[in-house]
Amino acid sequence: MEWLRVLIAVAGGLLLLWLLMLAVLWRARPDGLTARDALRLLPDLVRLVRRLAADRSLPRGVRVRLWLLLAYLLSPVDLVPDVVPVLGYADDVVVAAWALRAVVRRAGDEALVRHWPGEAAGLAVVRRLAGLSPRTEGLPPHG
């Protein structure tokens, strides 16, 4: 019976740690960004990450981060299961935002604009995710 108490204590500790991490992720999301806004962009965001990760002109560390992000986004294992309404995809949004912020700091905004596969309005949301101003003027309207 002692092993059962230890197992319950470990499970409780892991649950508490998971909830704490969830709270930190939720607080770190960009201001004004809803999960719905970010979810609309998921296909373009995945293509952007893939294109950036394949760009040999970017530093290797940036590309490695991007491949890890892509693996996380495509993985069925998440911090919060996707079946949980709203929060299930919110962790993907926050993790993507953190990674994009790090990438844009190292690679520059030009790489983000050059590889964006969607509409200018979608790029404005991604720029906001990355912690940049959501400007859209002068950006290509391409796909």
Side-chain angles (χ1 to χ4, degrees):
M1 279 310 211
E2 184 64 29
W3 63 270
L4 185 58
R5 286 185 195 158
V6 170
L7 185 63
I8 291 172
V10 168
L14 288 173
L15 178 64
L16 184 61
L17 182 61
W18 179 76
L19 290 172
L20 180 63
M21 192 169 18
L22 235 169
V24 168
L25 284 173
W26 185 251
R27 297 257 319 141
R29 77 187 188 288
D31 292 335
L33 182 70
T34 66
R36 181 179 296 195
D37 291 339
L39 284 176
R40 286 186 204 143
L41 299 174
L42 195 56
D44 287 337
L45 186 61
V46 169
R47 283 195 304 267
L48 170 70
V49 170
R50 186 182 47 77
R51 287 177 179 183
L52 285 167
D55 184 349
R56 294 218 173 255
S57 70
L58 298 179
R60 184 180 198 153
V62 167
R63 293 192 329 258
V64 168
R65 276 188 214 125
L66 288 164
W67 283 115
L68 291 172
L69 172 62
L70 191 61
Y72 178 78
L73 290 175
L74 296 175
S75 168
V77 178
D78 282 335
L79 292 173
V80 180
D82 290 341
V83 296
V84 177
V86 181
L87 288 179
Y89 292 101
D91 67 322
D92 293 345
V93 171
V94 174
V95 169
W98 278 354
L100 284 174
R101 286 178 185 209
V103 165
V104 169
R105 279 190 208 114
R106 295 275 320 270
D109 183 45
E110 304 79 34
L112 187 69
V113 172
R114 184 173 66 241
H115 290 291
W116 178 246
E119 298 294 322
L123 180 59
V125 174
V126 171
R127 290 176 56 78
R128 203 166 72 211
L129 259 176
L132 301 170
S133 66
R135 70 174 175 85
T136 58
E137 66 278 350
L139 300 178
H142 68 286

